[in-house]
Amino acid sequence: MKEAYLYDRLEEERVRCALCNHRCVIKPGKRGICGVRENRGGTLYSLVYGKVIAAHTDPIEKKPLFHFLPGSLSYSIATVGCNFRCRFCQNADISQMPAETGRIDGKDTTPEAVVEAALASGSESIAYTYTEPTIFFEMARDTALLADSKGLKNVFVSNGYMTPECLESIHPHLHAANVDLKAFTDRFYKEQCGAKLAPVLTTLETMKRLNVWLEVTTLLIPGHNDDPGELRELADFLVSLDPYTPWHISRFYPTYKLLDAPPTPPETVRRARDIGYEAGLKYVYTGNLPGDMGEKTYCPDCGELLIDRVGFRVGGVRIKNGKCAQCGGSVAGVWTH
Ligand code: SF4
């Protein structure tokens, strides 16, 4: 157990957590919405510090990050808990464990041990992923600072609900992020995730301002967030942020509590990709469609195939010093360590 970062003490031993935009006010003896931060006598503690529930060495493409050290490995960790309640969560067994059962499972470890394991695995980065890194921020931040000092990069895979002050406090040790933009309506965020849209948009803007390499993912769920007009609005927002922001559009399969929606038809995913390009985005990808053309990176200037991918495997990379090997046009991303 570790005293939390980023909270305020209030009257009558209550505290207000400032890690994410729920900004929970927590009474003594109670936990926040994420279920992993507890007020004990007016002091807020993280219950998941050093309690790692998952640790794997993954291709960076699995995050997905397609423009950040392609073909490299990323040592990936998570604790239990989440500040969202997504009805379609693919990792609900660990993300919703504290909220649904009160349990905080995990193997005891330390930031030092995580960094050592990452280096031993041959990874070039550590990814804080599978659940939501914001809710294990103390562990993530301590690990990230140490990792950075040893030459490892740090990557968040996040729902983007952290506060600006949370992001500022890990800057500049956070090098890249893949943030879910789950839909472009407040209704979807409220009904499907128990959250709001606006703070996520602010996070995307803040990450851009802080120069964190950013890629965005949208899981396309038939009948819920696949309206072409809504997708165009979402894409327009990304263009206003930066047209060179990679956008990953993933195919949905029924899972957890969202079992009454069908798998996304592949043509719907491809149509969404077209909408992204029509809006002016330069790199738009299809996800969960192994072998699809939309997994590959093409030069926005000359159309040359720059990175050949099949699933999470990278074939040839035709980028030299951040430029297209064919026409010399710049390719947005982080290509060398
Ligand atoms: S991190 Fe947890 S306790 Fe803190 S504001 Fe978010 S949900 Fe509430």
Side-chain angles (χ1 to χ4, degrees):
M1 213 172 55
K2 178 170 175 100
E3 184 174 353
Y5 299 158
L6 292 171
Y7 76 96
D8 295 314
R9 289 192 160 89
L10 307 175
E11 290 168 357
E12 297 169 350
E13 293 192 340
R14 293 174 308 143
V15 298
R16 182 188 293 112
C17 177
L19 265 193
C20 91
N21 277 285
H22 288 308
R23 296 192 186 270
C24 299
V25 173
I26 310 170
K27 292 180 184 168
K30 301 291 183 193
R31 296 179 182 178
I33 288 172
C34 55
V36 299
R37 299 170 77 70
E38 189 169 293
N39 179 347
R40 296 193 180 174
T43 301
L44 186 62
Y45 290 96
S46 165
L47 305 179
V48 288
Y49 192 89
K51 287 209 166 291
V52 168
I53 193 75
H56 304 288
T57 305
D58 289 337
I60 194 82
E61 283 71 24
K62 194 173 177 182
K63 303 301 115 192
L65 283 172
F66 280 9
H67 290 235
F68 186 81
L69 304 175
S72 69
L73 296 173
S74 190
Y75 190 75
S76 304
I77 62 164
T79 73
V80 297
C82 189
N83 50 355
F84 275 25
R85 296 282 176 271
C86 300
R87 297 180 66 241
F88 47 89
C89 181
Q90 292 166 352
N91 292 324
D93 54 332
I94 54 175
S95 73
Q96 301 305 320
M97 180 191 288
E100 291 182 351
T101 71
R103 279 190 3 243
I104 309 280
D105 289 359
K107 196 171 153 212
D108 287 331
T109 187
T110 61
E112 290 77 14
V114 170
V115 171
E116 264 178 43
L119 289 168
S121 72
S123 296
E124 292 186 41
S125 60
I126 298 181
Y128 308 85
T129 179
Y130 307 130
T131 58
E132 172 51 47
T134 308
I135 64 88
F136 61 93
F137 187 68
E138 290 76 11
M139 180 68 185
R141 186 177 181 280
D142 286 4
T143 305
L145 265 60
L146 186 62
D148 199 3
S149 74
K150 304 277 184 189
L152 290 163
K153 303 292 184 197
N154 294 296
V155 170
F156 270 18
V157 181
S158 173
N159 58 29
Y161 218 58
M162 64 277 276
T163 56
E165 55 264 45
C166 172
L167 268 179
E168 298 270 4
S169 81
I170 196 170
H171 178 70
H173 307 284
L174 180 63
H175 303 99
N178 186 301
V179 175
D180 279 345
L181 184 48
K182 294 173 189 278
F184 211 63
T185 63
D186 214 37
R187 183 178 168 185
F188 181 98
Y189 268 88
K190 192 173 166 202
E191 292 179 358
Q192 301 296 331
C193 310
K196 293 177 185 162
L197 169 63
V200 182
L201 304 183
T202 301
T203 290
L204 297 175
E205 289 162 351
T206 307
M207 283 187 171
K208 275 284 166 197
R209 178 170 56 78
L210 295 177
N211 263 333
V212 177
W213 175 256
L214 175 66
E215 303 193 19
V216 171
T217 295
T218 303
L219 180 73
L220 217 53
I221 307 174
H224 288 275
N225 63 356
D226 62 343
D227 174 74
E230 181 186 336
L231 290 170
R232 178 62 193 247
E233 279 182 50
L234 190 158
D236 285 343
F237 171 79
L238 294 179
V239 169
S240 74
L241 203 61
D242 176 359
Y244 292 88
T245 306
W247 184 29
H248 302 259
I249 305 155
S250 273
R251 187 181 193 201
F252 161 84
Y253 290 94
T255 188
Y256 189 41
K257 293 183 178 172
L258 195 51
L259 300 171
D260 54 354
T264 323
E267 53 276 21
T268 305
V269 181
R270 293 188 190 112
R271 176 69 194 123
R273 181 170 175 258
D274 291 344
I275 290 171
Y277 279 125
E278 285 157 17
L281 289 170
K282 304 297 182 187
Y283 310 106
V284 190
Y285 298 103
T286 56
N288 287 344
L289 287 177
D292 194 73
M293 287 291 287
E295 292 182 316
K296 303 174 197 299
T297 301
Y298 297 93
C299 175
D301 293 333
C302 72
E304 175 74 4
L305 176 63
L306 295 175
I307 306 178
D308 194 8
R309 284 184 206 85
V310 179
F312 304 132
R313 280 198 320 279
V314 172
V317 178
R318 289 182 42 75
I319 299 169
K320 289 195 180 131
N321 301 323
K323 297 189 185 310
C324 168
Q326 179 74 17
C327 74
S330 289
V331 189
V334 177
W335 308 109
T336 52
H337 199 90

